Each structure stands twice: as C-alpha cells, then as structure tokens.
Amino acid sequence: MTTTLAVVLLIYFAMVLGIALYSHARTRTEVDFLAAGRSIGPVVGGAVLAATQISAGTVVGTLGRHYLTGVSWWWIWLGVWAGWLCSAFFVAPQLRRFGALTVPDYVGARFGSERVRAMAALLIIVSNCIYLVAQFQASGEIARAVFGVPPLAAILVVVASTALYSMLGGVRSSSYIEFVQALIMVVGLAVAIPVLLDRIGGIGTSIDFLRSLDPRLLGWYYGPKEIAAFGISFSFAIAVSPYEMTRYYSMRDERTVKQAIAVSIGFQVLIGLSVLALGLFTRVLFPTLPSEDQASSVMAYEVLPPLVSALLLVAMLSAIMSTVNSVLLVTGASVSHDLYGKFVRPDATDRELVRWNRIGILVLSIIPVVFALQRLGNVQAIVVAQTKFVASFFFTPVVIGLNWRRGTAAGAVAAMLGGFLACLLWELTGQKSFARHGIDAVEVGVLTSLVLFFTVSWLTKPVEEGKLRVFFPR
Amino acid sequence: MIFAAVELRSAAIDVTLSADRATIVATYRFAGPGLAPEFVLIRLPAQRIAGLAANEGRTTEATGLVRITARPDSAGAVVIRYEVRGTLDRIPLPVPSIATARGARTIEIRLEGLAPTVDLDDAFPRLKAEANHAVAVLANVPSVIRLPEPGRWSLIRTIDRLVIALVAAASLLWFVQFRRTRAPAA
C-alpha cells in the first residue's frame, strides 16, 4: 500500500512540475501570470472553479461534518449553489467585462478610490490567511492519519510544493493542474462508494445502524435557523469570493464565464453527493474516530483498494494544494498589484510586480502555518468562520456596488469595515448563545454592511459618471 | 462521544472461524478517569449473535445494532465474548465509544480458520498472512470484518483495473487533444 501511494504521489508531483515548467515558459507579462493570458475555456474553467471550491473544507471538513452530524449538513450546498448563481448573473459578467486583474482592481475602479482598493486588499489578505489555516490543518490531519507523521512535516511539504508551482507558472499552470485534480477527485470519490457498501453489506444495513446509533444522523442534527445561517454564509461568500472571482478574469469572455459556472455546479453536485454518502458510510464502518477531520483519510487509507486509495489521497492533497494555490495567487496579487504597485511604486515594471507577487506568496504562505499548528477548531468550523467574514465585508460592496450606481467610496469603506467588525464582535460575543437568540454573526455582519452602505452612500457625493460607464453602460 | 477525555489504549480481537459459526473474543484496554465505555455491535442480515457476555455487561437491542455497557476491571480492561451464526461473509465487531489516541495503530485483529485458498486482498481490514492465521493492525476499531470468499469475483481487483484503464484512456485522449491543438494549420 505504502509503495503504491509513493509511486502515485511521485507520478503526480512529476506531472505538476511538468505543467508548472511548461506554463513558466509561456509566462512573460503580468496578464499572463495573473490571468493566463485570458485563454481559459468553459470545461477547464468549470473544473478549475470546482477544484477551487472543493477544498480541504470539502474533502476533510464537509465529509467529517457528515460523519459527525449526518445528512442535514447537505442543505448547505443549496446555499453554495445559490451563491454561484448570484455570481453568474450579478457579478461575473460585469467583472469579466471590466477586465481587471484583481478584485481590488474592480473595487478601486468602481468607487473611484484608491482608499477602497487598499482596504479591500487588506481584508482579502486577512480572510485568506484564515482560509489557509483550514487548508494546512487538513493536510496535517491527513498526514497524521495516513503516515503517522507530525502535522508540521505535511504542512511544510504542501506549502513548499504549492508555493513553488504558484510562483513558477501563475494562473495558467494552476488552471491545468486543477482541471486534472477535479477529474481525479470525482473518479476517486465515486469509486469509493461501492467499495464501502461492499464492506458494510448494503444501504439498508447502514440506514438501520445509523438510525439506531443517533436518529439525528438521518434527520435534523441542525435546526432550520442554523442551516439558514450557514447557507447565508456560504451563499454570500461564494458570490463574491475573491479567489473564485479572480478565475473569471482568466476566461475568454463573459459567455465562457457563465458556461464555466454551470460546468462547475455539475462537478459540485457529483462531489457533494459522494461526500455525503462517504461521510455516512465511514460512520458505519468506523463509528468512533478521535476526530471527525480524520474520517476522509481513514476511509481512504484503511478501506479502499490500494490504487484507488492512493489516487483519492492524492486528490485530497491536491484539492488542498489547489485551494492554497488559488488563495496564494489572490493574496500575492493583493500585495504586488494592489498595494506595492499602486501605493509603493506606481511606476513598477511588469517584471518587478511579478517578483513582488512571488515574495508575497512566500511570506503569506508561512503565517497561517503557525495558527494551523495550534488547532483552533475543526477544519469545517474554520472554513465557516472565513466565509462569514468574506460575506460580511465583501458581499455588499461587490454585489450591490455592481448593480446600484448610487453607491459611493465612503459607503463602500463603511460597509466593508462595519460589516467585518460587526461579524467579528458578534462571533466573539453573541455567537455563544445562538441556541437562545438564533441570530448568527454573518446575519449581523451583512445587515450592518448593507445599512451602512446605503446610508453613507446617500449622504455622500456620487461617483463621477465617467468612472461608472464601464459598469453601467446605459 | 468523539472527543472523549479518556482513551482506548489497545484492542486485541481474536476471531475463530468454523463451518457454521465464528467465535469472537475481544479484549479492550482503556486509560483515564471515570471509565464507562459503551460498545455498539452492528446487526447484519441473515446473522444471529449468541452467547454475548462482557464484564458486568448489559445489552440493549435496537433495529440496527446491539448496545453493550460494561465496567472495566481494575486494569482498565473489558473482555467481550460472543458467537456469530448464519451467513459468515461479514463479522460484526463491538466498537467502543472511546477512541484511540490520534494515529496510534494499536488495534490488532487475528483471524483463524480462513480457507487457505482465499485472496486476502479482498478482505477488510487489510489482512496479512502469518503462520496459521491472518492479522490486521489498525488505528481505529472497525464495526465489520469483511471476509474473503474462495472463488468470489474480486471487487477490489476489478476496481483497481478499471481505474488503471480509465487513467490510461484519459492520458491517451489528453495526448491526442494536445497534439491536435499543437499541430500547425493545414
């Protein structure tokens, strides 16, 4: 088993390196590095969006959450897909038409303010660091469950290899690598289901066992208010997720973006259903694990045939790497393009910006490692916390800002800052008594952000018509 | 249940197979204060559990499982004995509510009486043949042992071969597509 895994890992990393070197040879300008020369089509684009979405939060966190709480967590996917549809109709076409390189590019141009751009860049860096903590923690869990090695070793391997291919080839290499990852993931997860059923003895046995173990596993572990709050978090965050939106810029045109989102939802339906089934069947086969975050790696390593097991473990690691890669690209771009290139050296050359991007990627991939080693919560809980912050500070300025011309720079700053702080304060205080009041931090954050955006925008001077023409053609 | 403060130190599960029954003796060693482990034993179709006994144990039957509560002895050990009769393609195992420490592979399952012609690759958990028995070592207690059956069509081998074929076909397709897009226009 270990030999098979080692061989599959070697082949996979050789392929990743090959694609990265090939892309490096074709990367000459900042547009090549950050937007793959705007050449990505709908199928590769859709798989890339799915692979970016299907992170450690899904293969480790969501599978673990199904293992622990059962079926009801699946309803969260409806929120995820609602977010994608919102993005497809109200965000992606406008952003692609604008043709920026980064999300703060859009925010700065839409509100005609460099201050807004800087704040967006900083908040993106903070929220991305939280997201990276979850990814690194997941890789540590896999390493501990499969190889019995300390989490730090696995985290460092993931950081080093991902930072390498992010720095070498930019968005082009990551797009092709993620396409392959998405395919491996779908095949690996789908093949795992009949194997688990063969071990257990069938669906009927599993249902009877789970119902007797804890009736909530097949019913409602979470109440409707909790499901709604989680759904809002994912929906609003996905609609404006900076690392997903950056992918739109690499696609050929607006039509390609919409097609890619449809392809991506198809991939996600398959993966979501597989993850639900595997979480439940793993609970039947191993009812007591030390942590729900180990469910996916224990399932892959202990139950599956050697080759499928190796492929699925590689797919899980690669899902983590692809998300880390996407997040690092966005974070690096925030450092080089939005902060260094706009505030430190506005006359910086393309070569200099790419260098600063790579420095940003390197530095910002190390900070979350420290937090990942502290195990601040389980993987899914960290992902949920990050989505709450993104939804609270970014949903209003992006979605409302793209569709309401009266929004102003002061309104956007107030919305981002107010939404972020309201969510943070509620998370640190009111969240503890959710069962009593039923109000989640994301609801408080988004509502605060909306109120501030409309109020402050009405009270301040509108953005000049000339600056709005690209976003509101008529 | 999952984040219990106490832990399962080790388990030694001996399964002896004969023509019409499987006899199981499972010994669990726990550590930590206030131990009150509960075990669940999955109920499988066409099988009957007989002679279930544990240290000062009590059993409760539900549709899909049997719950066993037992008091560990002074050394923190619980021994559970029972027989499985009926269809013996799978053997249910009692899974304690207390988990092992992360990553520690201290669960040992020993199987005696397997037909010598069976393919161990088809078993769950992964078994290794030793002198006159087969052994599996894991980090967590599984609820079921899937026994290999002589002459049975191998799901595991079929899936592994299917995956190899799929990867080969996908690589070939990729290569053809790559050559087509790189070929100069006529």
Side-chain angles (χ1 to χ4, degrees):
Chain A
M1 172 63 207
T2 318
T3 316
T4 312
L5 182 57
V7 170
V8 172
L9 272 172
L10 270 176
I11 293 173
Y12 179 76
F13 281 118
M15 185 199 71
V16 165
L17 190 67
I19 294 177
L21 289 172
Y22 169 76
S23 304
H24 184 63
R26 294 184 60 183
T27 299
R28 289 183 184 85
T29 66
E30 199 190 17
V31 175
D32 278 345
F33 189 83
L34 292 179
R38 306 197 196 282
S39 61
I40 301 296
V43 177
V44 173
V48 168
L49 291 178
T52 309
Q53 163 72 40
I54 306 302
S55 64
T58 313
V59 282
V60 175
T62 309
L63 199 148
R65 200 51 82 98
H66 284 308
Y67 170 90
L68 182 67
T69 67
V71 175
S72 59
W73 186 255
W74 197 84
W75 295 105
I76 305 306
W77 283 103
L78 298 185
V80 171
W81 298 329
W84 277 110
L85 290 177
C86 175
S87 189
F89 289 103
F90 302 112
V91 179
Q94 290 91 323
L95 280 185
R96 183 62 194 82
R97 194 187 318 137
F98 172 55
L101 285 178
T102 68
V103 176
D105 259 351
Y106 143 71
V107 180
R110 160 62 185 85
F111 296 104
S113 162
E114 293 300 304
R115 203 163 35 121
V116 180
R117 172 201 287 271
M119 176 162 291
L122 283 173
L123 288 174
I124 285 172
I125 291 172
V126 170
S127 72
N128 283 353
C129 281
I130 299 172
Y131 201 45
L132 286 177
V133 172
Q135 309 303 319
F136 292 157
Q137 196 171 305
S139 57
E141 287 289 352
I142 293 172
R144 201 199 294 259
V146 174
F147 303 107
V149 298
L152 181 61
I155 291 172
L156 290 180
V157 170
V158 167
V159 170
S161 48
T162 314
L164 181 74
Y165 85 70
S166 306
M167 287 191 292
L168 274 178
V171 167
R172 189 191 304 278
S173 73
S174 68
S175 295
Y176 289 115
I177 290 164
E178 282 165 10
F179 175 64
V180 177
Q181 285 165 356
L183 292 181
I184 296 177
M185 178 78 70
V186 169
V187 172
L189 290 174
V191 161
I193 293 173
V195 177
L196 261 80
L197 280 174
D198 173 73
R199 281 18 187 148
I200 297 161
I203 292 178
T205 309
S206 306
I207 290 175
D208 286 346
F209 179 79
L210 290 169
R211 194 172 283 144
S212 303
L213 188 68
D214 183 347
R216 293 175 304 167
L217 290 170
L218 298 179
W220 291 98
Y221 191 96
Y222 294 103
K225 282 183 183 174
E226 277 174 294
I227 293 285
F230 291 134
I232 288 172
S233 291
F234 280 103
S235 171
F236 286 13
I238 294 290
V240 296
S241 169
Y243 52 88
E244 298 283 9
M245 290 197 293
T246 306
R247 298 300 194 182
Y248 303 150
Y249 298 142
S250 66
M251 294 178 201
R252 284 180 204 138
D253 48 30
E254 292 165 53
R255 190 180 151 82
T256 307
V257 171
K258 280 189 178 172
Q259 289 169 337
I261 288 177
V263 172
S264 159
I265 291 179
F267 269 104
Q268 290 177 47
V269 170
L270 288 175
I271 291 172
L273 288 172
S274 305
V275 161
L276 165 68
L278 293 175
L280 293 174
F281 296 152
T282 305
R283 186 69 185 267
V284 176
L285 217 44
F286 289 100
T288 309
L289 290 177
S291 155
E292 69 267 33
D293 284 344
Q294 290 202 349
S296 52
S297 33
V298 167
M299 180 269 297
Y301 189 68
E302 305 281 13
V303 187
L304 300 182
L307 187 60
V308 180
S309 164
L311 274 176
L312 194 60
L313 284 167
V314 167
M316 283 158 60
L317 282 173
S318 64
I320 293 171
M321 284 166 60
S322 74
T323 304
V324 170
N325 166 256
S326 297
V327 173
L328 283 179
L329 283 170
V330 170
T331 317
S334 292
V335 171
S336 66
H337 185 86
D338 301 311
L339 296 177
Y340 182 81
K342 299 293 173 190
F343 296 97
V344 182
R345 284 203 54 184
D347 57 342
T349 61
D350 261 7
R351 188 180 284 271
E352 207 177 339
L353 288 173
V354 171
R355 192 173 66 238
W356 272 96
N357 194 312
R358 288 171 175 156
I359 292 171
I361 286 173
L362 198 63
V363 173
L364 293 166
S365 59
I366 291 168
I367 296 169
V369 174
V370 179
F371 291 98
L373 292 172
Q374 311 296 317
R375 270 194 65 83
L376 300 171
N378 62 48
V379 170
Q380 189 75 84
I382 298 171
V383 172
V384 170
Q386 188 264 355
T387 59
K388 286 178 186 177
F389 284 120
V390 172
S392 297
F393 77 75
F394 230 35
F395 179 79
T396 303
V398 172
V399 177
I400 310 293
L402 275 171
N403 295 282
W404 184 55
R405 58 195 306 139
R406 186 62 183 82
T408 66
V413 169
M416 283 195 278
L417 202 58
F420 182 81
L421 290 176
C423 179
L424 184 68
L425 283 175
W426 195 266
E427 188 77 24
L428 295 177
T429 55
Q431 176 72 353
K432 288 190 179 79
S433 50
F434 181 86
R436 186 170 54 80
H437 53 63
I439 301 168
D440 192 83
V442 70
E443 291 155 345
V444 176
V446 172
L447 196 66
T448 307
S449 164
L450 280 169
V451 169
L452 285 171
F453 188 65
F454 284 117
T455 312
V456 176
S457 291
W458 276 117
L459 295 173
T460 49
K461 203 175 140 205
V463 177
E464 290 167 33
E465 273 302 313
K467 289 179 179 169
L468 290 177
R469 207 158 292 140
V470 65
F471 301 103
F472 303 96
R474 279 184 295 129
Chain B
M1 184 174 94
I2 283 171
F3 296 107
V6 291
E7 71 177 40
L8 173 64
R9 278 280 164 85
S10 66
I13 302 168
D14 292 315
V15 180
T16 309
L17 299 165
S18 60
D20 64 340
R21 74 190 62 184
T23 308
I24 296 100
V25 180
T27 307
Y28 304 84
R29 295 188 190 283
F30 298 96
L35 287 169
E38 183 186 83
F39 296 80
V40 288
L41 184 64
I42 189 168
R43 296 179 71 163
L44 299 170
Q47 272 187 0
R48 194 163 61 83
I49 305 291
L52 185 59
N55 320 25
E56 300 177 41
R58 280 200 326 270
T59 60
T60 322
E61 297 213 5
T63 316
L65 55 84
V66 179
R67 285 182 198 279
I68 308 157
T69 46
R71 190 185 295 276
D73 64 16
S74 56
V78 171
V79 181
I80 300 177
R81 292 184 170 81
Y82 57 100
E83 280 184 359
V84 180
R85 292 176 191 172
T87 309
L88 293 178
D89 53 352
R90 294 174 185 82
I91 307 294
L93 298 180
V95 182
S97 55
I98 298 167
T100 46
R102 285 167 183 236
R105 300 184 76 82
T106 54
I107 311 299
E108 187 177 295
I109 299 171
R110 271 166 58 105
L111 263 126
E112 274 184 49
L114 273 174
T117 53
V118 294
D119 182 357
L120 289 185
D121 285 348
D122 240 8
F124 169 77
R126 281 195 190 92
L127 292 170
K128 223 171 85 178
E130 294 197 351
N132 56 349
H133 59 270
V135 177
V137 178
L138 298 95
N140 305 283
V141 182
S143 62
V144 166
I145 299 173
R146 174 74 164 108
L147 296 176
E149 295 165 61
R152 178 180 172 250
W153 162 74
S154 168
L155 174 75
I156 300 307
R157 281 188 204 287
T158 308
I159 286 182
D160 260 357
R161 283 172 193 163
L162 199 74
V163 168
I164 291 172
L166 205 68
V167 170
S171 307
L172 192 71
L173 216 84
W174 180 289
F175 182 70
V176 169
Q177 180 71 16
F178 182 74
R179 290 212 17 156
R180 191 183 297 161
T181 51
R182 300 262 303 175

